[in-house]
Amino acid sequence: MATLNVNKAEFIKSAADPRQFIHTAMPKVAFAGKSNVGKSSVINRLLNRKNLARVGAQPGKTIHVNYFKIDDKLYLVDLPGYGYAKVSQAERDRWGKLMEQFFAEPGLFDLGVMIVDARHKPTADDVTMAEYFKNTGCRLVVVANKLDKLKKSEIEPNMALIRETLKLPETVLLIPFSAEKGQGREVLLQQIVELI
Ligand code: GDP
């Protein structure tokens, strides 16, 4: 079985513009989620890092696509967070344009990892993001983060609500996850390792 040394991770670049998007035959995994859902924390947990993806960096302010190379085998593509209430219309428009450009271009990623909050019904923005991913036809997994904040009895109904709200086909894996505690890490990692 293929192995991936997640400890070997390097920041490559921030793309603010489609001309800076990376085209390569290497597999690419795109991470998306609303601001504050814990996207940076999930990435850091996955890579055994404290601070590779900046945790809590000004929600909504960084409208860039950030590229990291892992073990010279694949790229991790960190899409800008969305849905932060306090951003200006101009920032929202910038986000929308960049994401339209990203999703319109084929070959920019091979696997989508969409992160939602395990506690709540996905937002309208989450639904829109899931549509973007589903429309590409690329493989998608959904990570339900902050699992540690749920009571055991809440897990199943919440997972069902997420699946139903995002209209996830049976083929889409929904992973209960806690960036804080580490639950779900192995399952997510396995999905990624399968690409190489
Ligand atoms: P991002 O904006 O999506 O990158 O979110 P961050 O990674 O900066 O996390 C936002 C906040 O949620 C921070 O205060 C994190 O400590 C917290 N957080 C992230 N993941 C978890 C988790 O799995 N459980 C709990 N309890 N808190 C989390």
Side-chain angles (χ1 to χ4, degrees), residues 84-149:
Y84 187 58
K86 287 181 190 161
V87 302
S88 65
Q89 190 56 45
E91 293 285 288
R92 261 175 236 279
D93 292 346
R94 242 168 64 63
W95 183 89
K97 186 163 173 231
L98 193 65
M99 288 303 92
E100 259 172 42
Q101 290 164 325
F102 184 85
F103 282 96
E105 212 170 311
L108 293 182
F109 69 97
D110 307 281
L111 169 66
V113 177
M114 185 171 154
I115 302 162
V116 297
D117 195 318
R119 295 170 297 177
H120 308 301
K121 183 180 159 93
T123 64
D125 287 333
D126 289 329
V127 173
T128 303
M129 184 47 85
E131 287 303 315
Y132 268 132
F133 273 117
K134 287 187 281 181
N135 288 337
T136 65
C138 285
R139 197 152 64 86
L140 170 68
V141 301
V142 176
V143 166
N145 189 38
K146 308 199 183 184
L147 184 69
D148 56 284
K149 295 210 172 186

Side-chain angles (χ1 to χ4, degrees), residues 166-178:
L166 298 179
K167 298 194 176 66
L168 301 180
E170 290 286 320
T171 51
V172 172
L173 188 62
L174 174 61
I175 308 174
F177 198 98
S178 167

